[in-house]
Short mmCIF file of all heavy atoms in Angstrom, two decimals:
data_model
loop_
_atom_site.label_atom_id
_atom_site.label_comp_id
_atom_site.label_asym_id
_atom_site.label_seq_id
_atom_site.Cartn_x
_atom_site.Cartn_y
_atom_site.Cartn_z
N PHE A 1 0.84 -1.21 0.00
CA PHE A 1 0.01 0.01 -0.01
C PHE A 1 0.84 1.24 0.03
O PHE A 1 0.65 2.17 -0.83
CB PHE A 1 -0.92 -0.02 1.20
CG PHE A 1 -1.71 1.26 1.44
CD1 PHE A 1 -2.81 1.57 0.52
CD2 PHE A 1 -1.39 2.16 2.44
CE1 PHE A 1 -3.55 2.73 0.71
CE2 PHE A 1 -2.11 3.25 2.59
CZ PHE A 1 -3.19 3.61 1.82
N ASP A 2 1.84 1.26 0.89
CA ASP A 2 2.75 2.49 0.99
C ASP A 2 3.53 2.65 -0.37
O ASP A 2 3.66 3.81 -0.80
CB ASP A 2 3.76 2.28 2.08
CG ASP A 2 3.03 2.53 3.51
OD1 ASP A 2 1.92 2.96 3.50
OD2 ASP A 2 3.70 2.20 4.51
N THR A 3 3.96 1.51 -0.90
CA THR A 3 4.66 1.61 -2.19
C THR A 3 3.78 2.16 -3.27
O THR A 3 4.19 3.00 -4.10
CB THR A 3 5.16 0.20 -2.59
OG1 THR A 3 6.05 -0.25 -1.55
CG2 THR A 3 6.01 0.29 -3.91
N SER A 4 2.50 1.67 -3.30
CA SER A 4 1.55 2.12 -4.33
C SER A 4 1.28 3.61 -4.22
O SER A 4 1.21 4.35 -5.22
CB SER A 4 0.24 1.37 -4.18
OG SER A 4 0.47 -0.03 -4.35
N MET A 5 1.11 4.12 -2.95
CA MET A 5 0.85 5.52 -2.71
C MET A 5 2.01 6.39 -3.23
O MET A 5 1.86 7.43 -3.89
CB MET A 5 0.65 5.80 -1.22
CG MET A 5 -0.62 5.12 -0.65
SD MET A 5 -2.15 5.76 -1.39
CE MET A 5 -2.49 4.40 -2.53
N THR A 6 3.24 5.85 -3.01
CA THR A 6 4.44 6.64 -3.44
C THR A 6 4.54 6.68 -4.89
O THR A 6 4.86 7.69 -5.52
CB THR A 6 5.67 5.96 -2.83
OG1 THR A 6 5.58 5.93 -1.42
CG2 THR A 6 6.94 6.72 -3.18
N VAL A 7 4.34 5.56 -5.57
CA VAL A 7 4.39 5.44 -7.05
C VAL A 7 3.32 6.32 -7.68
O VAL A 7 3.60 7.10 -8.62
CB VAL A 7 4.24 3.98 -7.50
CG1 VAL A 7 4.09 3.94 -9.06
CG2 VAL A 7 5.40 3.06 -7.12
N ILE A 8 2.15 6.31 -7.16
CA ILE A 8 0.99 7.08 -7.71
C ILE A 8 1.36 8.57 -7.54
O ILE A 8 1.14 9.36 -8.47
CB ILE A 8 -0.36 6.80 -6.98
CG1 ILE A 8 -0.76 5.35 -7.36
CG2 ILE A 8 -1.39 7.81 -7.42
CD1 ILE A 8 -1.97 4.83 -6.60
N ALA A 9 1.91 8.95 -6.36
CA ALA A 9 2.26 10.36 -6.16
C ALA A 9 3.35 10.77 -7.10
O ALA A 9 3.37 11.94 -7.59
CB ALA A 9 2.72 10.55 -4.70
N GLY A 10 4.30 9.90 -7.32
CA GLY A 10 5.35 10.18 -8.27
C GLY A 10 4.88 10.43 -9.66
O GLY A 10 5.29 11.38 -10.36
N ILE A 11 3.96 9.55 -10.11
CA ILE A 11 3.39 9.68 -11.48
C ILE A 11 2.56 10.97 -11.55
O ILE A 11 2.62 11.72 -12.59
CB ILE A 11 2.47 8.49 -11.75
CG1 ILE A 11 3.34 7.21 -11.89
CG2 ILE A 11 1.71 8.68 -13.05
CD1 ILE A 11 2.49 5.97 -12.01
N MET A 12 1.82 11.29 -10.48
CA MET A 12 1.01 12.52 -10.52
C MET A 12 1.91 13.78 -10.59
O MET A 12 1.58 14.70 -11.30
CB MET A 12 0.11 12.63 -9.21
CG MET A 12 -0.99 11.56 -9.14
SD MET A 12 -1.83 11.59 -7.59
CE MET A 12 -2.54 13.19 -7.58
N GLY A 13 3.05 13.75 -9.84
CA GLY A 13 3.99 14.83 -9.88
C GLY A 13 4.55 15.02 -11.29
O GLY A 13 4.65 16.15 -11.76
N LEU A 14 4.88 13.92 -11.97
CA LEU A 14 5.49 14.03 -13.32
C LEU A 14 4.45 14.59 -14.29
O LEU A 14 4.78 15.32 -15.17
CB LEU A 14 5.88 12.60 -13.74
CG LEU A 14 7.13 12.07 -13.06
CD1 LEU A 14 7.39 10.63 -13.46
CD2 LEU A 14 8.39 12.93 -13.36
N ILE A 15 3.13 14.16 -14.09
CA ILE A 15 2.12 14.64 -15.00
C ILE A 15 1.78 16.12 -14.74
O ILE A 15 1.70 16.92 -15.68
CB ILE A 15 0.83 13.80 -14.89
CG1 ILE A 15 1.06 12.37 -15.39
CG2 ILE A 15 -0.36 14.41 -15.67
CD1 ILE A 15 -0.01 11.43 -15.11
N LEU A 16 1.66 16.45 -13.50
CA LEU A 16 1.17 17.80 -13.14
C LEU A 16 2.30 18.88 -13.18
O LEU A 16 2.10 19.99 -13.55
CB LEU A 16 0.58 17.82 -11.79
CG LEU A 16 -0.71 17.03 -11.55
CD1 LEU A 16 -1.04 16.87 -10.12
CD2 LEU A 16 -1.86 17.67 -12.32
N TYR A 17 3.52 18.44 -12.76
CA TYR A 17 4.61 19.47 -12.66
C TYR A 17 5.90 19.09 -13.42
O TYR A 17 6.85 19.78 -13.34
CB TYR A 17 4.94 19.62 -11.15
CG TYR A 17 3.78 19.68 -10.24
CD1 TYR A 17 3.57 18.70 -9.27
CD2 TYR A 17 2.84 20.70 -10.24
CE1 TYR A 17 2.48 18.71 -8.42
CE2 TYR A 17 1.73 20.71 -9.41
CZ TYR A 17 1.58 19.71 -8.51
OH TYR A 17 0.50 19.78 -7.62
N GLN A 18 5.82 17.94 -14.09
CA GLN A 18 6.92 17.54 -14.86
C GLN A 18 8.17 17.25 -14.03
O GLN A 18 9.31 17.30 -14.42
CB GLN A 18 7.37 18.50 -15.99
CG GLN A 18 6.39 18.64 -17.13
CD GLN A 18 5.13 19.34 -16.76
OE1 GLN A 18 5.18 20.48 -16.28
NE2 GLN A 18 3.98 18.76 -16.89
N GLU A 19 7.98 16.85 -12.72
CA GLU A 19 9.01 16.44 -11.84
C GLU A 19 8.43 15.67 -10.68
O GLU A 19 7.23 15.64 -10.49
CB GLU A 19 9.72 17.69 -11.30
CG GLU A 19 8.78 18.57 -10.45
CD GLU A 19 9.60 19.79 -9.88
OE1 GLU A 19 10.83 19.66 -9.78
OE2 GLU A 19 8.95 20.78 -9.52
N LEU A 20 9.32 15.01 -9.91
CA LEU A 20 8.92 14.29 -8.76
C LEU A 20 8.71 15.23 -7.63
O LEU A 20 9.45 15.29 -6.69
CB LEU A 20 9.93 13.18 -8.39
CG LEU A 20 10.10 11.99 -9.36
CD1 LEU A 20 11.28 11.10 -9.02
CD2 LEU A 20 8.87 11.19 -9.48
N ALA A 21 7.64 16.04 -7.70
CA ALA A 21 7.41 17.09 -6.80
C ALA A 21 7.17 16.65 -5.34
O ALA A 21 7.69 17.26 -4.40
CB ALA A 21 6.27 17.95 -7.24
N GLY A 22 6.34 15.63 -5.13
CA GLY A 22 6.01 15.24 -3.74
C GLY A 22 6.74 14.04 -3.25
O GLY A 22 6.57 13.63 -2.15
N VAL A 23 7.54 13.43 -4.12
CA VAL A 23 8.24 12.22 -3.77
C VAL A 23 9.79 12.40 -3.93
O VAL A 23 10.19 12.65 -5.05
CB VAL A 23 7.77 11.00 -4.54
CG1 VAL A 23 8.55 9.74 -4.26
CG2 VAL A 23 6.27 10.81 -4.36
N ARG A 24 10.50 12.21 -2.82
CA ARG A 24 11.98 12.36 -2.96
C ARG A 24 12.66 11.38 -2.02
O ARG A 24 11.93 10.46 -1.50
CB ARG A 24 12.41 13.77 -2.64
CG ARG A 24 12.11 14.78 -3.77
CD ARG A 24 12.73 16.15 -3.45
NE ARG A 24 14.14 16.04 -3.22
CZ ARG A 24 14.92 17.12 -2.95
NH1 ARG A 24 14.35 18.34 -2.85
NH2 ARG A 24 16.23 16.97 -2.72
N GLU A 25 13.86 11.49 -1.71
CA GLU A 25 14.54 10.58 -0.79
C GLU A 25 13.93 10.62 0.54
O GLU A 25 14.00 9.56 1.28
CB GLU A 25 16.04 10.93 -0.75
CG GLU A 25 16.39 12.30 -0.25
CD GLU A 25 16.38 13.43 -1.34
OE1 GLU A 25 15.64 13.29 -2.27
OE2 GLU A 25 17.20 14.31 -1.17
N GLY A 26 13.35 11.76 0.94
CA GLY A 26 12.73 11.75 2.27
C GLY A 26 11.57 10.82 2.41
O GLY A 26 11.28 10.37 3.54
N THR A 27 10.90 10.51 1.33
CA THR A 27 9.78 9.56 1.38
C THR A 27 10.25 8.19 1.77
O THR A 27 9.61 7.53 2.59
CB THR A 27 9.12 9.52 -0.01
OG1 THR A 27 8.69 10.85 -0.43
CG2 THR A 27 7.82 8.66 0.06
N ILE A 28 11.41 7.80 1.15
CA ILE A 28 11.94 6.43 1.49
C ILE A 28 12.40 6.37 2.89
O ILE A 28 12.21 5.43 3.67
CB ILE A 28 13.06 6.11 0.47
CG1 ILE A 28 12.54 6.05 -0.94
CG2 ILE A 28 13.71 4.78 0.84
CD1 ILE A 28 13.59 5.93 -2.01
N ILE A 29 13.14 7.49 3.31
CA ILE A 29 13.68 7.58 4.69
C ILE A 29 12.55 7.46 5.69
O ILE A 29 12.56 6.76 6.72
CB ILE A 29 14.52 8.84 4.89
CG1 ILE A 29 15.70 8.75 4.00
CG2 ILE A 29 14.87 8.97 6.34
CD1 ILE A 29 16.58 10.03 3.99
N ALA A 30 11.47 8.20 5.37
CA ALA A 30 10.29 8.20 6.31
C ALA A 30 9.67 6.85 6.42
O ALA A 30 9.28 6.38 7.51
CB ALA A 30 9.28 9.23 5.87
N ALA A 31 9.55 6.16 5.25
CA ALA A 31 8.93 4.79 5.23
C ALA A 31 9.74 3.89 6.14
O ALA A 31 9.11 3.00 6.72
CB ALA A 31 8.85 4.28 3.82
N ILE A 32 11.05 4.03 6.17
CA ILE A 32 11.82 3.09 7.01
C ILE A 32 11.95 3.56 8.47
O ILE A 32 11.68 2.79 9.40
CB ILE A 32 13.28 3.03 6.42
CG1 ILE A 32 13.20 2.41 5.00
CG2 ILE A 32 14.16 2.18 7.31
CD1 ILE A 32 14.54 2.50 4.26
N LEU A 33 12.25 4.84 8.68
CA LEU A 33 12.55 5.35 10.02
C LEU A 33 11.31 5.45 10.92
O LEU A 33 11.34 5.16 12.09
CB LEU A 33 13.23 6.68 9.91
CG LEU A 33 13.82 7.28 11.22
CD1 LEU A 33 14.77 6.27 11.87
CD2 LEU A 33 14.57 8.57 10.95
N VAL A 34 10.15 5.79 10.36
CA VAL A 34 8.93 5.97 11.13
C VAL A 34 8.53 4.57 11.76
O VAL A 34 8.28 4.51 12.96
CB VAL A 34 7.76 6.52 10.33
CG1 VAL A 34 6.47 6.40 11.07
CG2 VAL A 34 8.06 7.94 9.90
N GLY A 35 8.55 3.55 10.94
CA GLY A 35 8.21 2.23 11.45
C GLY A 35 9.18 1.69 12.56
O GLY A 35 8.78 1.11 13.50
N MET A 36 10.47 1.97 12.27
CA MET A 36 11.48 1.59 13.22
C MET A 36 11.28 2.28 14.52
O MET A 36 11.46 1.64 15.59
CB MET A 36 12.86 1.85 12.66
CG MET A 36 13.35 1.04 11.55
SD MET A 36 15.00 1.54 10.83
CE MET A 36 16.03 1.40 12.33
N THR A 37 10.99 3.52 14.51
CA THR A 37 10.74 4.34 15.73
C THR A 37 9.55 3.80 16.56
O THR A 37 9.70 3.57 17.77
CB THR A 37 10.50 5.82 15.40
OG1 THR A 37 11.68 6.30 14.72
CG2 THR A 37 10.38 6.62 16.69
N ALA A 38 8.49 3.53 15.82
CA ALA A 38 7.23 2.99 16.42
C ALA A 38 7.47 1.65 17.07
O ALA A 38 7.08 1.38 18.22
CB ALA A 38 6.16 2.96 15.42
N ARG A 39 8.21 0.76 16.38
CA ARG A 39 8.51 -0.58 16.95
C ARG A 39 9.41 -0.51 18.13
O ARG A 39 9.28 -1.20 19.11
CB ARG A 39 9.09 -1.43 15.85
CG ARG A 39 8.06 -1.88 14.76
CD ARG A 39 8.64 -2.99 13.87
NE ARG A 39 9.76 -2.46 13.06
CZ ARG A 39 9.60 -1.91 11.89
NH1 ARG A 39 8.39 -1.84 11.34
NH2 ARG A 39 10.65 -1.54 11.19
N PHE A 40 10.38 0.44 18.07
CA PHE A 40 11.37 0.54 19.14
C PHE A 40 10.63 1.05 20.43
O PHE A 40 10.83 0.48 21.54
CB PHE A 40 12.39 1.57 18.83
CG PHE A 40 13.40 1.91 19.91
CD1 PHE A 40 14.41 1.07 20.24
CD2 PHE A 40 13.23 3.09 20.63
CE1 PHE A 40 15.30 1.39 21.32
CE2 PHE A 40 14.07 3.41 21.70
CZ PHE A 40 15.13 2.55 22.00
N LEU A 41 9.76 2.06 20.29
CA LEU A 41 8.99 2.55 21.43
C LEU A 41 8.07 1.51 22.02
O LEU A 41 7.91 1.39 23.21
CB LEU A 41 8.24 3.77 21.03
CG LEU A 41 9.13 5.06 20.80
CD1 LEU A 41 8.21 6.14 20.22
CD2 LEU A 41 9.83 5.50 22.00
N ASN A 42 7.52 0.71 21.10
CA ASN A 42 6.58 -0.32 21.54
C ASN A 42 7.28 -1.38 22.37
O ASN A 42 6.76 -1.85 23.39
CB ASN A 42 5.89 -0.97 20.34
CG ASN A 42 4.82 -1.97 20.82
OD1 ASN A 42 3.87 -1.65 21.52
ND2 ASN A 42 4.92 -3.19 20.29
N LYS A 43 8.49 -1.74 21.92
CA LYS A 43 9.27 -2.72 22.61
C LYS A 43 9.75 -2.23 23.94
O LYS A 43 9.79 -2.94 24.92
CB LYS A 43 10.53 -3.06 21.77
CG LYS A 43 11.36 -4.16 22.35
CD LYS A 43 12.64 -4.48 21.48
CE LYS A 43 13.50 -5.48 22.11
NZ LYS A 43 14.67 -5.78 21.21
#
């Protein structure tokens, strides 16, 4: 689901603005780090 949202956002950015406007390296970092933080706190 997260991957699909990212891909769709990337395609939308290319169509609307001719660039990856809303998707960058921060999206990947957030996808990894947010889950790690939540799991760490839960543990």
